[in-house]
């Protein structure tokens, strides 16, 4: 489906390029979707670097502007499990910064796991439930169960 992917990437890039060229940030919530603008789209369609440079995950956008925003201090500790794409693209420090890790290192404990099998459409489809649960049981779910109440 490479030709279809190129067409869709081109359509999306044509819509986003005028904003990126003016320096307007392109902010997304879903790592695998947003990070495709930085990786897959640039491989499919060379010359799309302006869009890639202006594409930010929500937490990266907030972390970059942390000095300009008044973010509330975390009152509770959190156990953080990152999306596979956040880990692959080294985006987890931005999440930790937004959660207050820089000011209170004990506020956030990162749960180091592999794929949890629950994200995206895969995790929502009933036919993948058993596989998803087995993947979660490899590391993530045991980590959650053994974590102390974090306050």
């Amino acid at each position: 489906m490479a030709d279809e992917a190129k067409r869709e990437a081109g359509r999306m890039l044509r819509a986003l390029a005028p904003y990126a060229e003016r320096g307007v940030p392109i902010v997304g919530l879903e790592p695998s979707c947003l990070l495709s603008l930085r990786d897959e789209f640039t491989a499919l369609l060379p010359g799309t670097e302006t869009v890639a440079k202006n594409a930010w995950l929500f937490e990266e956008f907030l972390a970059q502007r942390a000095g300009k925003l008044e973010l509330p201090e975390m009152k509770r500790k959190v156990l953080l499990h990152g999306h596979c794409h956040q880990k692959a693209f080294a985006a987890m420090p931005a999440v930790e910064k937004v959660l207050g890790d820089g000011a209170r290192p004990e506020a956030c404990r990162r749960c180091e796991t592999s794929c949890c099998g629950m994200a995206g459409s895969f995790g929502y489809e009933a036919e993948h439930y058993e596989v998803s649960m087995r993947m979660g049981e490899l590391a993530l779910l045991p980590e959650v169960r053994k974590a102390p109440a974090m306050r």
Side-chain angles (χ1 to χ4, degrees), residues 71-89:
L71 299 173
E73 182 182 342
M74 289 294 294
K75 301 295 184 199
R76 297 182 141 190
K77 293 181 181 181
V78 296
L79 179 63
L80 175 63
H81 170 71
H83 187 291
C84 298
H85 282 81
Q86 286 171 306
K87 293 174 189 177
F89 283 85

Side-chain angles (χ1 to χ4, degrees), residues 50-64:
T50 303
V51 169
K53 288 177 186 170
N54 283 284
W56 302 94
L57 289 168
F58 181 66
E59 60 272 11
E60 291 174 323
F61 182 76
L62 289 179
Q64 180 189 45

Side-chain angles (χ1 to χ4, degrees), residues 80-145:
L80 175 63
H81 170 71
H83 187 291
C84 298
H85 282 81
Q86 286 171 306
K87 293 174 189 177
F89 283 85
M92 293 304 294
V95 178
E96 292 167 342
K97 182 175 182 179
V98 171
L99 289 175
D101 191 46
R104 240 181 101 208
E106 75 280 3
C108 181
R109 182 169 71 83
R110 195 186 297 186
C111 179
E112 296 296 344
T113 66
S114 61
C115 181
C116 65
M118 295 179 235
S121 61
F122 181 89
Y124 289 114
E125 295 171 348
E127 61 268 22
H128 298 140
Y129 177 79
E130 292 300 325
V131 171
S132 179
M133 292 306 293
R134 285 197 309 269
M135 291 169 77
E137 287 295 344
L138 292 174
L140 177 63
L141 297 176
E143 279 288 316
V144 170
R145 283 193 288 276

